[in-house]
Amino acid sequence: GPEAEALAAQRVNRAGRALSETWHAWHDEIPAIQSVMSAPIEVNEGELRGTLNFVHPAPNRFGPHEITLLEIIAVQAATALANALHLKEIQTDLHETHVMLDISRSMAGATTIRQVYDAIRQSALAVGADSCTVYLCDELDSNNLPTYAQIAFLGSSKNAKRVKTINHRFPLSKYELLDELVYTQETLVIENVNADERLSIKEQEFFHQFDAHSIVINPLVSRGHVAGLLSIEYHTEHHFSQRELALFRTLSNQTTTALEHARRMQRTEEALAETQTLYRAGRVLAGADDLQEILQEALI
């Protein structure tokens, strides 16, 4: 039918374009080629993944027998490639599952903020990133949106070089893309800091101090509000897949939960310590005999 013919024409055109590009490459290196025959390598019901090409320096070298042979080999190559791609996808899924389990275990076992930061660093490096940065936001405006951010943690293999920026605090309005994140609560993807037209010169300089070339930044959203930002950085150009972006969003969600849990633990410990101090002070003061002793024990 017409639809099948149109699909076949598209496949021929794609194969033709691929062959044309290959031919130009060949012709520059091997100008003596006179005969060429090409067959598409298709997987997943018509997805063109390449072409299988036979060449010969003599003209009119290929006949029906060679064409049939090429088609058979192309089908076998396509089957082998489909199997290899399927296996690779399974291996990728398995690796991501292990990474997610490791992230969950690390976050679940973190009871202090330092342990949460260490878990973030280990998780970022496990997925292939070179470094990560945690920004904590504060000073809410009338719309309950943060106006300032502070670099709370830097994790990489070059901590000694980067530690000087720890605790650096800045107004979010200074960097428009970061400021926009607290409104949109969306993922910010920058694959090339030097070439991204959304970045101002000031923003490029800001990211350069982390040696960042490609970056993914996710807001840490707690109860509908942005409490911070998690930045995952690569020091060379990196093209992010949808799988990676989903993995980074999961890491951000778990980071938010782990930080909240660690802060609750910290507040509970502080309240318990205060209660114990007051209890001990009460016992000591109750046993004092005169005003001088009461004042002295109170100071202690």
Side-chain angles (χ1 to χ4, degrees):
E3 293 182 358
E5 291 179 359
L7 179 61
Q10 291 177 359
R11 291 162 60 186
V12 170
N13 288 336
R14 290 199 302 269
R17 287 195 298 271
L19 177 58
S20 177
E21 295 173 1
T22 305
W23 166 254
H24 286 298
W26 281 338
H27 193 268
D28 292 339
E29 297 180 8
I30 315 174
I33 291 176
Q34 295 295 319
S35 297
V36 179
M37 65 176 178
S38 178
I41 299 176
E42 298 178 332
V43 298
N44 300 330
E45 299 181 356
E47 179 186 348
L48 181 67
R49 298 304 296 264
T51 58
L52 180 61
N53 310 286
F54 285 2
V55 300
H56 200 277
N60 303 315
R61 177 62 181 81
F62 303 120
H65 174 73
E66 288 79 10
I67 293 176
T68 301
L69 178 62
L70 176 63
E71 291 174 344
I72 294 173
I73 296 175
V75 171
Q76 293 175 342
T79 302
L81 179 60
N83 291 336
L85 292 173
H86 182 60
L87 179 60
K88 182 179 180 181
E89 185 174 353
I90 292 175
Q91 292 173 334
T92 301
D93 289 341
L94 184 61
H95 173 70
E96 290 180 355
T97 300
H98 285 305
V99 170
M100 289 305 305
L101 287 174
D102 290 340
I103 292 173
S104 298
R105 292 193 193 101
S106 299
M107 293 296 183
T111 57
T112 66
I113 293 178
R114 171 52 57 181
Q115 289 176 345
V116 174
Y117 290 157
D118 288 340
I120 295 170
R121 176 181 176 275
Q122 293 172 7
S123 301
L125 298 182
V127 298
D130 294 307
S131 59
C132 60
T133 306
V134 176
Y135 305 85
L136 296 182
C137 299
D138 57 20
E139 287 202 27
L140 303 182
D141 62 14
S142 58
N143 297 317
N144 287 327
L145 296 174
T147 57
Y148 277 81
Q150 178 175 324
I151 299 176
F153 174 74
L154 300 168
S156 77
S157 58
K158 301 178 181 179
N159 280 334
K161 179 181 178 180
R162 294 154 53 86
V163 73
K164 62 182 180 180
T165 56
I166 286 284
N167 297 325
H168 172 61
R169 189 169 178 270
F170 56 90
L172 284 167
S173 59
K174 187 176 179 180
Y175 305 107
E176 185 176 345
L177 280 184
L178 296 181
D179 192 29
E180 187 177 352
L181 286 181
V182 305
Y183 291 92
T184 64
Q185 298 186 5
E186 299 289 339
T187 300
L188 173 63
V189 179
I190 303 171
E191 293 195 339
N192 189 334
V193 169
N194 299 318
D196 196 313
E197 296 180 353
R198 296 172 299 172
L199 293 173
S200 65
I201 299 298
K202 186 179 296 184
E203 288 169 327
Q204 289 179 344
E205 293 174 350
F206 178 77
F207 291 126
H208 281 159
Q209 68 180 326
F210 306 117
D211 298 325
H213 189 99
S214 300
I215 312 171
V216 171
I217 304 178
N218 277 296
L220 303 177
V221 182
S222 174
R223 299 179 182 86
H225 299 291
V226 175
L229 304 170
L230 175 59
S231 174
I232 306 295
E233 300 130 7
Y234 290 79
H235 297 169
T236 57
E237 188 167 358
H238 183 82
H239 299 286
F240 299 100
S241 67
Q242 291 301 315
R243 287 175 177 269
E244 288 177 312
L245 296 179
L247 186 62
F248 294 145
R249 283 192 292 269
T250 300
L251 174 59
S252 298
N253 293 337
Q254 294 195 359
T255 296
T256 303
T257 302
L259 284 174
E260 289 180 342
H261 174 68
R263 289 193 182 107
R264 283 195 296 269
M265 292 284 291
Q266 184 178 21
R267 288 194 293 267
T268 301
E269 291 174 355
E270 291 172 351
L272 181 60
E274 290 174 358
T275 301
Q276 290 174 340
T277 299
L278 291 174
Y279 176 71
R280 289 195 300 269
R283 285 196 307 170
V284 170
L285 294 176
D289 294 331
D290 54 38
L291 180 59
Q292 183 65 30
E293 187 177 354
I294 290 174
L295 293 175
Q296 183 176 350
E297 295 295 345
L299 288 174
I300 295 174

